[in-house]
Amino acid sequence: MTAMQAPSTFQETRPLLRVEALSKTFVVGKTFIPGSGQSVRAVDTVSFDVFPGETLGLVGESGCGKSTLGRCLMRLHDVSAGRIVLDGVDIAPLSPRQLRPYRRHMQMIFQDPAASLNPRRRVGDLLAEPLRVHNMASRTGIAQRLRELMDIVSLPAAFLDRYPHEFSGGQRQRIGIARALALEPKLIVADEPVSALDVSVQAQIVNLFSDLRKRLQLTTLFIAHDLSVVRQVSERTAVMYLGSIAEIGPTDLLFRSPAHPYTQALLSAIPVPSVAPARRRDRILLKGEIPSPANPPSGCRFHPRCPAAQERCKTERPTLTGLPDGRQVACHFPFSLQTA
Amino acid sequence: MSAPLLDVRGLSISFAGRNGPIGVIEDLSFQVHEQETLCIVGESGSGKTVALLSMLGLLDPLSSRVQGSASFKGKDILSASRETLRQLRGREIALISQDPMTAMTPVHTIGWQIVEQIRAHTDMSSRAAWNRAIELLGEVGIANPRMIVGQYPHQLSGGMRQRAMIAMALSCNPSLLIADEPTTALDVTVQAQVLDLLRRLRRDFGSSIVLITHDMGVVAEMADRVLVMYAGRIVEHGPCEAIFADAWHPYTWGLLDSIPPLDGPRPDRLVSIPGSPPQPDKRPPGCVFAPRCRARTAICAEPPPRQAANGRDALCFIDYADRQARRFGLAENMDQPA
Ligand SMILES: Nc1ncnc2c1ncn2[C@@H]1O[C@H](COP(=O)(O)OP(=O)(O)O)[C@@H](O)[C@H]1O
Ligand SMILES: Nc1ncnc2c1ncn2[C@@H]1O[C@H](COP(=O)(O)OP(=O)(O)O)[C@@H](O)[C@H]1O
Ligand code: SF4
Ligand code: SF4
Ligand SMILES: [Mg+2]
Ligand SMILES: [Mg+2]
């Protein structure tokens, strides 16, 4: 792997998705009393690109803002600030009505396919629904498209007549994926799509994502808390901490030599399924847990837990800065915890 | 070797179903020795939780039927009275369950619950017990224990509740800690703290641990011995090192091979196990794993033998001389859902 020298082929093309300084603030506990309510900045000034045909992995621990970011991109949330440029159009300021023609270009895949599939409708109807809503096919065209979709996710066409509850978790996720693909979206946001599945079944769905990327040149933001899954499916990986990107770059580079102390700690915390000592990284045990985004620490958001923190980190917030090797990192002292 | 701490023999469990009893656990036998960590690994629905609940007398006797024997420190626990089991659970055996809410009372603060637990089993003053509760909460990685002791379970996040429950379980220095997927709902950095805590518990107090998990990484890190369960049966058992070096059962091969690697080259595709685990009432006759097994042959329609050697065993027909060839000769990818 030569990610260091060779520029990624993706970077030469125009990004399909450009996210610029995106922020999302929730106000919680608001009452009629003026000034009540607490604002929670779940996504804080996030910028990144996703290139056509690329899978960008997004990792980070629960509550760091992955789902909120994904939902903002889908415009399932209003955004508080920033731009979301999808194929040249900034969709961040659009009203629901203005958004309508863009909806079919972006689709989401959820963790729990059961919750997103209406149990009273047959699989065929579930898949046909988006096609009808968006006037995408004639009656005969629909039948053919449904068989095509089932083929893409490796399910027999006979399943079209069955109901979601008749399927296992893995099969339901295949149906969820087929549904998201029905409209040939430009961008897929998959939010923890394999987290609820057993390992053996998880591997099937991870393989399906790899196949789809190759076969359909899908552009995907793949959100997961499991780093090994993200490594397997994505060309580039972004690591989030408390609403911001800590590090983003080519997947092989990040996993081989993480620069941000948080990426290093996260990687070192994963139990490796091997008893060979050579496979183990020295563990960096972090203290405490992620602070509440309602009351974030000063300076670098990671400083109260960072084993490499220095005085400067308490006051001065690091910005995401490019390194010569092609990644970006938000840390005053990158590589200071080198363990390898 | 001294007598095992926990000795389970021929445990079978069935539940009342619409068309007669449904067997969920089939002939489970295993031992837990002093100061050892036994990991039970398997996919969801394989019967891990049901097996441990039965040993602690926590299954509903009206709808379940339990056969076989289980003894703790030489005393039968399957036929023990509710009161005996309740005492045992507080003092000698601690349970950390998947769902922390079941172990807590919603109407009392976290601190109150831990203090009660400590005071029931020691003669510590309430002030000392309160301080110990704060200390324990700190030890399980809660950043502001002084604040958390005064809160109610519903006020905490899932991860915080799980850690509070671990603190509660640790408060009586149990000789056996049964932890049912204690870190499944936690983030990896917090999981690392909790696993570290369990290791210290074993080292400092000599507790034995039964750790139920579906994560082979956790197994590699924690286990002395491993039980691999599939569809209510132990399909493989042996020392941790041996199983990772040379697994015998095709299901164990699948579990190990389906994990995406964190280093080295990324495989084009993962080796997955086709299909999904059967429901208890749909388990096939013969080898239960046969419909998903890449190494299956015609003989697998019969119940497989338990082959044993060198302190390990596997429930499979494959001859030991054949194992390596069978495992690595399976090149074709059967990725299709069954
Ligand atoms: N609808 C909402 N209202 C208020 N706060 C929210 C809402 N959705 C998410 N949050 C908060 O935003 C933060 C990020 O949450 P989320 O995006 O779900 O994280 P992740 O997906 O990484 O686990 C959390 O602190 C969460 O409590
Ligand atoms: N009270 C019950 N009545 C009937 N079936 C049950 C009951 N509890 C569990 N089961 C079934 O027993 C099987 C094993 O469950 P469980 O022990 O929870 O598996 P695991 O902990 O390995 O995920 C499952 O198929 C489950 O549906
Ligand atoms: S800026 Fe300082 S506190 Fe933040 S990650 Fe880097 S070293 Fe740690
Ligand atoms: S007995 Fe046959 S089907 Fe069962 S695990 Fe062994 S080889 Fe596979
Ligand atoms: Mg989420
Ligand atoms: Mg369970």
Side-chain angles (χ1 to χ4, degrees):
Chain A
M1 245 118 307
T2 53
M4 286 264 207
Q5 302 88 351
S8 164
T9 49
F10 296 111
Q11 252 108 88
E12 289 152 17
T13 50
R14 187 176 73 133
L16 176 76
L17 173 72
R18 163 155 282 181
V19 177
E20 284 175 19
L22 183 69
S23 294
K24 172 66 187 174
T25 306
F26 293 109
V27 178
V28 291
K30 196 166 174 60
T31 65
F32 287 110
I33 303 160
S36 70
Q38 200 179 18
S39 56
V40 174
R41 186 161 264 219
V43 174
D44 188 2
T45 332
V46 164
S47 302
F48 61 89
D49 291 334
V50 189
F51 294 90
E54 176 188 47
T55 297
L56 175 69
L58 181 63
V59 297
E61 293 176 288
S62 52
C64 72
K66 304 181 297 297
S67 295
T68 304
L69 174 58
R71 295 174 68 87
C72 284
L73 299 185
M74 292 287 108
R75 282 301 317 274
L76 299 173
H77 284 317
D78 285 334
V79 310
S80 308
R83 285 155 52 86
I84 302 170
V85 184
L86 180 68
D87 217 4
V89 180
D90 181 8
I91 59 166
L94 301 188
S95 68
R97 198 194 156 81
Q98 292 170 316
L99 269 172
R100 214 169 291 154
Y102 298 99
R103 286 255 175 244
R104 73 180 185 87
H105 298 310
M106 38 195 207
Q107 293 291 318
M108 196 147 179
I109 296 169
F110 298 92
Q111 167 174 345
D112 181 6
S116 60
L117 299 173
N118 183 339
R120 276 188 284 279
R121 313 208 39 199
R122 291 172 204 271
V123 170
D125 295 331
L126 288 168
L127 296 187
E129 183 186 274
L131 295 171
R132 296 211 178 93
V133 169
H134 291 271
N135 289 325
M136 286 283 286
S138 65
R139 192 151 286 279
T140 50
I142 284 186
Q144 191 188 334
R145 180 72 182 136
L146 295 189
R147 281 195 303 277
E148 230 171 69
L149 286 168
M150 294 299 269
D151 181 59
I152 288 172
V153 297
S154 300
L155 288 177
F159 283 9
L160 286 168
D161 294 326
R162 300 216 203 147
Y163 294 91
H165 71 86
E166 297 176 60
F167 298 103
S168 67
Q171 289 169 332
R172 277 201 294 265
Q173 191 54 288
R174 285 175 198 271
I175 296 165
I177 293 170
R179 193 158 192 259
L181 294 177
L183 298 171
E184 301 181 53
K186 294 175 181 164
L187 177 72
I188 296 263
V189 171
D191 191 358
E192 306 268 8
V194 302
S195 307
L197 304 173
D198 276 314
V199 254
S200 72
V201 179
Q202 179 177 305
Q204 298 170 12
I205 303 297
V206 166
N207 283 342
L208 178 58
F209 272 96
S210 307
D211 295 345
L212 293 177
R213 190 189 51 203
K214 278 177 228 148
R215 187 166 157 186
L216 307 174
Q217 279 80 48
L218 271 192
T219 309
T220 308
L221 180 71
F222 191 101
I223 300 173
H225 65 271
D226 183 333
L227 274 81
S228 61
V229 166
V230 163
R231 178 177 188 258
Q232 178 68 18
V233 300
S234 47
E235 278 88 16
R236 285 190 307 134
T237 299
V239 180
M240 262 182 105
Y241 187 79
L242 214 59
S244 301
I245 292 180
E247 181 167 8
I248 178 170
T251 297
D252 288 314
L253 192 60
L254 247 69
F255 280 76
R256 193 163 9 90
S257 62
H260 196 285
Y262 179 63
T263 316
Q264 297 179 329
L266 205 55
L267 271 172
S268 80
I270 302 168
V272 182
S274 160
V275 289
R279 294 275 310 276
R280 307 199 157 277
R281 291 171 194 254
D282 286 332
R283 178 150 300 163
I284 303 160
L285 267 189
L286 292 180
K287 282 194 280 297
E289 60 182 311
I290 306 181
S292 160
N295 188 15
S298 63
C300 173
R301 303 272 145 119
F302 187 52
H303 91 255
R305 304 176 75 198
C306 181
Q310 301 186 27
E311 270 315 300
R312 180 180 169 198
C313 307
K314 293 184 190 160
T315 51
E316 195 182 327
R317 188 166 179 193
T319 52
L320 203 58
T321 308
L323 298 188
D325 61 14
R327 78 174 107 203
Q328 292 171 286
V329 59
C331 173
H332 298 307
F333 308 103
F335 296 108
S336 49
L337 288 183
Q338 205 55 282
T339 57
Chain B
M1 194 182 276
S2 60
L5 191 64
L6 178 68
D7 193 352
V8 177
R9 290 186 192 266
L11 185 70
S12 293
I13 301 167
S14 53
F15 288 107
R18 234 175 292 162
N19 311 310
I22 299 169
V24 165
I25 300 286
E26 203 69 55
D27 193 20
L28 210 65
S29 297
F30 65 91
Q31 286 77 43
V32 183
H33 299 282
E34 300 275 357
Q35 301 193 25
E36 96 168 327
T37 300
L38 176 76
C39 278
I40 306 181
V41 63
E43 288 172 283
S44 56
S46 58
K48 307 181 294 293
T49 300
V50 165
L52 82 90
L53 291 181
S54 77
M55 290 182 285
L56 298 176
L58 293 172
L59 284 184
D60 171 21
L62 290 179
S63 63
S64 62
R65 187 150 157 247
V66 180
Q67 289 171 293
S69 73
S71 60
F72 178 74
K73 292 191 171 168
K75 285 191 287 283
D76 181 18
I77 52 173
L78 276 193
S79 58
S81 72
R82 280 183 165 261
E83 183 50 27
T84 312
L85 282 172
R86 209 184 54 78
Q87 295 233 338
L88 207 59
R89 279 206 302 274
R91 202 163 298 175
E92 301 228 53
I93 305 178
L95 173 65
I96 300 174
S97 67
Q98 238 160 339
D99 175 11
M101 277 315 246
T102 58
M104 294 184 178
T105 327
V107 297
H108 293 299
T109 62
I110 299 293
W112 189 93
Q113 307 198 35
I114 302 179
V115 166
E116 276 301 290
Q117 178 90 2
I118 296 174
R119 304 250 296 152
H121 305 295
T122 65
D123 49 10
M124 226 182 250
S125 72
S126 52
R127 167 164 292 274
W130 191 258
N131 286 333
R132 178 74 186 128
I134 292 172
E135 199 175 280
L136 282 163
L137 289 170
E139 277 181 29
V140 295
I142 287 176
N144 42 354
R146 274 171 206 287
M147 190 182 113
I148 297 302
V149 277
Q151 296 203 316
Y152 293 88
H154 72 267
Q155 293 177 296
L156 306 186
S157 70
M160 295 273 260
R161 273 204 292 268
Q162 187 62 292
R163 280 185 277 172
M165 181 167 63
I166 295 174
M168 206 146 89
L170 299 187
S171 66
C172 61
N173 299 338
S175 45
L176 178 63
L177 180 72
I178 300 180
D180 188 1
E181 311 237 15
T183 59
T184 299
L186 305 180
D187 284 311
V188 276
T189 62
V190 180
Q191 167 171 277
Q193 295 165 351
V194 170
L195 294 181
D196 189 55
L197 190 73
L198 292 178
R199 264 192 300 265
R200 273 195 285 138
L201 179 78
R202 200 187 108 183
R203 194 188 57 217
D204 298 347
F205 301 103
S207 305
S208 300
I209 299 175
V210 174
L211 178 60
I212 296 175
T213 176
H214 63 265
D215 184 336
M216 282 306 234
V218 171
V219 174
E221 193 157 297
M222 300 295 291
D224 297 312
R225 278 189 310 126
V226 183
L227 298 180
V228 183
M229 279 189 71
Y230 184 78
R233 289 154 179 83
I234 296 173
V235 294
E236 176 156 11
H237 152 249
C240 184
E241 252 106 69
I243 284 183
F244 279 92
D246 169 32
W248 284 1
H249 198 280
Y251 176 60
T252 317
W253 302 344
L255 279 185
L256 288 169
D257 294 343
S258 57
I259 306 165
L262 264 180
D263 55 15
R266 281 187 274 172
D268 232 17
R269 324 189 82 238
L270 300 170
V271 182
S272 63
I273 306 177
S276 50
Q279 293 296 314
D281 57 344
K282 303 235 170 61
R283 289 176 187 162
C287 174
V288 277
F289 187 58
R292 308 180 69 194
C293 181
R294 293 156 203 271
R296 129 189 109 229
T297 57
I299 192 177
C300 305
E302 303 293 323
R306 188 169 294 282
Q307 300 196 57
N310 308 326
R312 50 191 302 204
D313 54 79
L315 193 63
C316 176
F317 281 108
I318 300 177
D319 189 73
Y320 85 99
D322 252 9
R323 273 184 203 119
Q324 290 287 330
R326 294 283 279 276
R327 178 172 185 184
F328 298 104
L330 301 165
E332 102 270 34
N333 202 316
M334 295 164 53
D335 208 27
Q336 300 309 304

